[in-house]
Amino acid sequence: MSDTLQKEEQIKASINAAFRSAKVSIQRKGRIIVEFRGGILPAFASYLKEYLNFKHLSMISGVDWPEDNQFELVYHLWSYEQSIHVMVKVRLDREAAKTKTLTPLWEHAETYEREIHEMLGVEFEGHPNMRDFILEDWDDLPPMRRDFMTREYVDEVYEWRKGREDAQDVRQTIAEQYNTEVPNFNNEDK
Amino acid sequence: MKEDWGKEAGNIIARWARKHSLWVLAYGTGCGAIEIPPTMTSRYDAERFGITGMATPRQADVLLITGYLAVKTLKRVIRTYEQMQSPKYVMGFGSCTINGGMYWDSYNTIKRLDDYLPVDIFINGCMPRPEGVIDGFIELQKLIDSGQANGWKKYQDNLEWYRTNQKKVIKNWKMPDYNW
Amino acid sequence: MDTSFNLWILLMPFVGALVGLTYMGIGRRIIARVQHRYGPPIFQNIVDVLKLYSKKTAITHGVMFHLAPTLAITGTISTLMFLPILTGPHGIYLFSFKGDLILLMYIMVFGCLAMALGAGQSGNPNSAIGVSRGLSQMVGYEAPFVIAMVTLMVQFNTTSVHDIIKAQDSFVHWNMFQSPFAFIAALFAFLGFMGNKPFDVVIAPAEIASGPPSEFGGKYLALMQTNRGMFAFVKLVLYVDLFMGGAANFVSLLAKTFFFYLIPLFVGIVNPRFRTEQAITFFWKWPTVIGLLGFLMVIL
């Protein structure tokens, strides 16, 4: 067991030596989780990229933890040489969610950060382009926050067509609305 | 009655021509777009009914909305629809256009297409197969023949109502007005 | 100036448009059969045009935009007027005694230029791309076409279409066989003229919407489709006149023009699309060289 996890242990040791505040745990072979706190994320990311050869940023995902009053950003990094996947988890305060951008290191981080900004409301300092990404002119709470009540918002903004809830025939509803007869979809008489 | 026969004959010819030549602008927003290529190509060959795909809204007669519409795409669809030349028809394709389908509680997709655009015919199913699409086109041809497919007139007459609905979901209404 | 002359002047544009559109319908049907489809009815294109005429039209982009379809169809009709449609004792000559081959070559481009102006004013980027591609490609295929025409003029020492037709009095004297090099060059230019598959980068469906006419709809598009049908007929009749010795009656005219229509159609079915610069390189290489070869043979 120990010889198979040799590379992972090496990486863990070097991260621990360089960054005291990082809590490294090895989940299984080829997968390392780093829980990192503090505002020097770009320095840590550039350390991983330049010294430990984690050249590839696969994606950034955001998680909402209203119980802890925190957002969690997960940076997925991949090393081609060692075939190891590192997840860097960063916790941010929910009230003033702010962190530094990683666009100087990976240009494509721009898209992920824009999306997280739009869906969770996290600010990325130094991001070149924080415009709307998927949603247009959204003025409510960011929709992927867990305290955003989707069902209430939908009830308020959109109209339901009757027949959805009580398993009624939708064809009947449409026909009643336009004063037409219910089309016959029985193919036997055709 | 007698003096109207020329107009009447013209109407009959126009209706017949409209019925047999439907140029479709397939607005492939949702998963339904994948059903259009088999409908148009060798297997189901919609061209034998005079149904052809068209690339620009100016030349198209039928706006085929395949699947769900997010608020952002709804804005584009309205622009596309208003650029089309009347008589124009809208086909709602799939459950998503009827009552939201599997996106029934999504915060960003509209639930009832006919609140925003005058839909002439719905094809239900998730997804409707190419047979269903061709069946829908034939029903539309019947509606055109009997003069019931006049969603474009309804849109002109009830423009205020449609605009109110559209502006309720599209918050930033920056669009040119198209005269027709 | 008798009544039949006036009648034909009035009727010929309609006949031309009908024949051209029907040929296109047959072409669609043939393409469908090659692709193992059933295909639309033969008269589908005529139905399409009727439908387009019945549409309401409310598009405004400027004066030239409104004029373009009209100018294009004017160019086509005037080309048609200077063509001998039928020859022989029951011939339909229209105004062709007053014009010659040089006038025809000149006036044939008129419609394309009008279209280019109108499409340019529509402000649609797809139109602009289509126009630039179309004009570049025209520079390509005009070269072998002009060489072939000059070869014919030098060969018969005349610019009159009538004299060229008269010289081809029997089957063996057709220019097809008499000056094959000019014929081959002109045939390649014809592929470019018709805008079928290898050289359809101008319209390029699914790539730049529908090219120059992207912004034209309704009645404008109807005029343009009519123009397309009529222009196809004009080109077919011109080629029949020049290389097949004209036609004495409508049956032989239809047979000969249909033969010419099938050539670009079948070439188009089996070939993918050329890019603009590939098309120009192609036109300036083989057809031009072959044309010049024929020209040299005629001079020497």
Side-chain angles (χ1 to χ4, degrees), chain A residues 32-89:
Chain A
I32 301 174
I33 298 175
V34 185
E35 281 176 41
F36 190 77
R37 49 188 83 246
I40 48 166
L41 177 72
F44 183 61
S46 104
Y47 171 75
L48 285 180
K49 187 185 176 188
E50 304 300 338
Y51 292 95
L52 299 180
N53 261 332
F54 287 91
K55 295 280 186 205
H56 181 70
L57 172 71
S58 307
M59 67 179 267
I60 308 173
S61 55
V63 190
D64 189 8
W65 297 103
E67 299 88 350
D68 306 342
N69 203 21
Q70 274 176 331
F71 286 126
E72 189 178 63
L73 297 183
V74 188
Y75 294 82
H76 298 262
L77 303 177
W78 173 255
S79 162
Y80 288 105
E81 286 85 7
Q82 308 171 75
S83 299
I84 291 178
H85 177 187
V86 167
M87 290 182 242
V88 183
K89 294 187 174 178

Side-chain angles (χ1 to χ4, degrees), chain C residues 114-126:
Chain C
M115 272 276 304
L117 284 174
Q121 205 181 27
S122 72
N124 192 317
N126 289 328

Side-chain angles (χ1 to χ4, degrees), chain A residues 165-181:
Chain A
E165 297 86 2
D166 49 355
Q168 196 191 339
D169 196 341
V170 170
R171 289 173 298 195
Q172 188 118 28
T173 330
I174 296 174
E176 275 168 19
Q177 187 182 346
Y178 292 109
N179 288 325
T180 52
E181 52 186 88

